[in-house]
Amino acid sequence: METQVLIVGAGPTGLMAANQLQRFGIDFILIDYKSGPTKESRAIAVTARSLEIYQQMGLSDTVVADGIMMNSFNLFSDGKAKAEVKIGEIGKGMTDFPYLLAYEQSQNEMLLYRNLKEKGAEVHWETTLVTLKEYQKSIVATVEKNNETFEIKAEYLIGCDGAKSPIRHQLGFNFHGGTYENRFFVADVIMDWQLPHNNLIIAPSNTNFVGFFPLKGERYFRVLGSLPRAYFHKEDIRFEDIEKEVIQTAGIPIVFEKTNWFSVYNLHHRCVDNFNKGRVFLAGDSAHIHSPAGGQGMNTGLQDAYNIAWKLAFVLKKTAKPDLLATYNEERLPFAKWLMTFTDRMFKLMTSDNWLVAWFRKHIALNLIAKIFTFGKIRPVIFRRVSQIWYSYNGKSLSYSNSRQELLFKAGDRLPYITDSHQEIPFYELFKEPVFHLLYLSNEALEEGIHLAAEETFPFPVKILRYPITPAWIGLGVEKPLFVLVRPDNYIAFLSDSFSVTEMENYLAPFFISLKSKK
């Protein structure tokens, strides 16, 4: 079998990579050792940035309709509410998805899998990677299915094969980090209590920690927490064995009626020091694993796939040089490292059974968190972080600005979110096509010569959009015409007050194949 891209692992990251490659018309083969999509809920939260990807794919309405918007984030101690943080539309004015949405991993996988199938693609289930060899212009994978082995030849490979990643092991990627001392449990349960269903509850005690996250369905919750130490070395633990400790930790009367899934695990925090070797690229858990604090894991994997897919597509279509692929590691590795630090600090604060940390958490941290969330200026900052809309590729190789205006956005930033009363459709829906967009901000029509210059400059299709300089743009510092080149993943590539062919060619030269060289 031959293909352009082999994707190993059909979890959310691998399925997203396949969907993105499909949007760009790239041939791929997607394999997974499982028999089908994950049935357990596993990861829960979908961030605004991930929803914006789904919006670009035409799938966001389904996600929102089938998800659960969380009304509030509640901190409990000794059975008493120490803090209630109203979530609601905390990110209003920053995105079309200004809330916290629960849409579990199994739903994400089924949605992405269904979308692939509707467009004519399939996943090779029950297919296991055995060995991998890389050559100058290809990789060859030996895989096994139904006790038979065969080879798949591809130009590139995306490894989305999870935390234990055989690809990462075979190729000798470094995977720095460690393992948390405590053990943890996770359960999907139907339960009865007096608290609202669509609230997120976190309840740390002096020795343990437990959290409750609403799932789709009446009285259906994800329960996760630190395993009581008495059970650390026991095998075949059932959720029923620790129910009393869970209720005691929460301090809230609870009746657990049914357990649909239960698992005990060790939690790691590790990251590779490079996302690729040769023609192989890692994404998602195969490249970085961390605590579930903040609901960032699955979403980060989706962003990884979103980033590498368009770059592979442009290289495979011969409009970009292979050098473009180096920007994947340049852009995604810093975020993975930041995320490890961010989640590690949050998780240790909430789960540590060290007496000093437990005392600080109970008497200071919980009250401090509640106080912080009352400040109007802090809430948007927190939303931007948790939703991942804050992250920027500013200062990276693909980000360039030559504007003299005092803009409140930079090259490398996510495209600013604009709400104008005259808009008939959401602003981001103008950028749904899998191409670069040249956004011309001006109250005057674009000169005809610019269209011709663009055709003679860009080695790939570019959709040109004119948008007036409305009060929303003025508030962001746009006072006169501005050209904004927007990448296929809706990050800003280039900013300039005028369109100069020479300037644009100089920007494109390091990573893209010029039209002149093709003639």
Side-chain angles (χ1 to χ4, degrees):
M1 299 176 67
E2 291 192 18
T3 188
Q4 289 177 295
V5 181
L6 172 61
I7 306 170
V8 180
T13 302
L15 287 165
M16 176 59 79
N19 273 270
Q20 292 298 323
L21 290 174
Q22 189 178 59
R23 291 178 68 229
F24 288 97
I26 298 300
D27 186 57
F28 63 88
I29 292 175
L30 173 55
I31 67 171
D32 196 294
Y33 70 90
K34 303 191 303 295
S35 60
T38 298
K39 293 183 172 61
E40 298 86 8
S41 62
R42 298 188 183 274
I44 296 174
V46 176
T47 65
R49 189 69 193 107
S50 295
L51 284 165
E52 289 172 352
I53 299 177
Y54 281 131
Q55 181 183 38
Q56 193 180 45
M57 298 167 66
L59 300 174
S60 58
D61 288 347
T62 300
V63 179
V64 174
D66 293 342
I68 298 176
M69 295 183 193
M70 300 186 194
N71 284 343
S72 67
F73 168 60
N74 300 266
L75 293 169
F76 274 68
S77 180
D78 297 328
K80 297 179 181 179
K82 300 289 289 187
E84 180 181 15
V85 179
K86 293 293 185 182
I87 299 175
E89 294 191 343
I90 187 174
K92 189 173 183 178
M94 292 185 277
T95 175
D96 287 322
F97 312 100
Y99 34 75
L100 182 60
L101 191 76
Y103 188 74
E104 59 229 45
Q105 179 174 330
S106 57
Q107 292 176 287
N108 281 271
E109 291 189 17
M110 282 304 303
L111 175 68
L112 291 167
Y113 179 42
R114 188 166 59 244
N115 195 58
L116 277 181
K117 292 180 68 176
E118 288 174 355
K119 291 177 172 58
E122 188 49 87
V123 177
H124 295 264
W125 300 110
E126 299 180 328
T127 304
T128 304
L129 177 73
V130 180
T131 60
L132 183 65
K133 292 183 180 180
E134 182 175 357
Y135 298 93
Q136 186 176 356
K137 295 184 178 181
S138 67
I139 61 100
V140 176
T142 302
V143 302
E144 180 179 318
K145 183 171 185 175
N146 298 328
N147 296 319
E148 294 184 3
T149 60
F150 57 95
E151 290 185 342
I152 300 175
K153 182 179 179 181
E155 293 184 59
Y156 294 98
L157 181 146
I158 306 177
C160 311
D161 50 343
K164 296 181 180 180
S165 179
I167 292 173
R168 191 184 63 237
H169 284 289
Q170 281 194 36
L171 298 183
F173 282 84
N174 290 322
F175 203 41
H176 304 293
T179 303
Y180 290 104
E181 179 184 358
N182 291 349
R183 297 191 73 198
F184 301 89
F185 73 86
V186 59
D188 290 349
V189 304
I190 296 175
M191 54 182 252
D192 188 25
W193 64 357
Q194 297 303 308
L195 298 177
H197 178 252
N198 54 354
N199 288 1
L200 190 161
I201 309 293
I202 302 294
S205 71
N206 288 343
T207 56
N208 290 320
F209 156 87
V210 65
F212 301 86
F213 300 80
L215 300 176
K216 192 73 171 181
E218 186 178 0
R219 296 182 291 113
Y220 195 24
F221 282 84
R222 157 71 55 81
V223 184
L224 58 82
S226 48
L227 190 70
R229 283 192 173 272
Y231 295 89
F232 270 24
H233 303 292
K234 292 186 178 181
E235 298 182 359
D236 300 323
I237 304 170
R238 303 171 304 161
F239 183 64
E240 290 77 6
D241 297 328
I242 63 171
E243 280 185 7
K244 290 183 179 179
E245 284 86 348
V246 171
I247 296 171
Q248 183 178 2
T249 298
I252 306 168
I254 305 171
V255 176
F256 292 107
E257 298 177 357
K258 182 181 179 181
T259 303
N260 290 334
W261 176 55
F262 175 69
S263 180
V264 173
Y265 59 97
N266 292 314
L267 197 57
H268 309 276
H269 48 106
R270 298 180 183 276
C271 183
V272 295
D273 54 14
N274 197 311
F275 273 43
N276 89 282
K277 283 190 176 183
R279 292 179 171 268
V280 176
F281 301 84
L282 300 182
D285 287 352
S286 64
H288 45 79
I289 52 176
H290 40 79
S291 87
Q296 303 289 295
M298 177 178 66
N299 294 282
T300 303
L302 297 178
Q303 305 297 327
D304 291 344
Y306 191 47
N307 188 291
I308 186 58
W310 78 263
K311 295 172 181 177
L312 280 171
F314 275 59
V315 171
L316 288 164
K317 288 185 174 183
K318 310 300 183 186
T319 56
K321 303 173 184 178
D323 293 348
L324 177 66
L325 302 177
T327 66
Y328 171 58
N329 181 72
E330 180 191 23
E331 293 181 346
R332 297 306 299 166
L333 181 60
F335 182 80
K337 290 185 173 181
W338 171 85
L339 185 60
M340 281 187 62
T341 302
F342 171 71
T343 56
D344 187 53
R345 288 173 179 171
M346 288 179 61
F347 201 64
K348 284 181 177 178
L349 176 62
M350 285 297 171
T351 64
S352 176
D353 55 8
N354 175 277
W355 71 269
L356 182 58
V357 176
W359 179 89
F360 175 80
R361 177 175 62 225
K362 182 175 182 179
H363 297 286
I364 298 178
L366 297 185
N367 293 323
L368 183 62
I369 291 172
K371 189 70 174 176
I372 288 174
F373 267 91
T374 63
F375 296 120
K377 292 183 179 180
I378 296 294
R379 288 165 58 86
V381 172
I382 294 174
F383 176 81
R384 283 173 55 81
R385 290 275 165 168
V386 174
S387 67
Q388 298 192 0
I389 64 174
W390 70 277
Y391 189 60
S392 173
Y393 301 135
N394 180 245
K396 308 303 182 186
S397 299
L398 288 178
S399 306
Y400 176 80
S401 177
N402 191 32
S403 173
R404 294 185 178 182
Q405 300 184 60
E406 295 183 4
L407 305 172
L408 297 184
F409 54 93
K410 305 177 292 295
D413 287 358
R414 159 185 168 267
L415 180 67
Y417 174 76
I418 298 296
T419 54
D420 284 319
S421 58
H422 75 276
Q423 283 182 228
E424 296 181 1
I425 61 173
F427 180 66
Y428 265 31
E429 296 211 4
L430 299 173
F431 302 86
K432 293 179 73 170
E433 295 182 38
V435 296
F436 273 83
H437 290 78
L438 183 61
L439 175 63
Y440 176 53
L441 297 174
S442 176
N443 295 325
E444 304 296 331
L446 184 65
E447 296 177 14
E448 290 186 10
I450 300 296
H451 285 274
L452 181 60
E455 290 179 5
E456 295 178 347
T457 303
F458 293 106
F460 42 74
V462 174
K463 183 176 180 180
I464 300 177
L465 299 171
R466 188 189 71 83
Y467 198 95
I469 301 177
T470 61
W473 285 109
I474 294 173
L476 292 172
V478 181
E479 296 181 348
K480 57 183 181 179
L482 181 70
F483 287 88
V484 184
L485 183 63
V486 183
R487 298 167 15 163
D489 57 2
N490 283 359
Y491 284 87
I492 299 172
F494 178 93
L495 291 169
S496 183
D497 297 328
S498 61
F499 188 89
S500 163
V501 171
T502 300
E503 185 179 47
M504 186 61 72
E505 286 179 341
N506 288 338
Y507 166 76
L508 295 170
F511 298 107
F512 299 92
I513 298 172
S514 72
L515 283 177
K516 293 178 182 178
S517 67
K518 290 184 176 182
K519 295 179 180 179

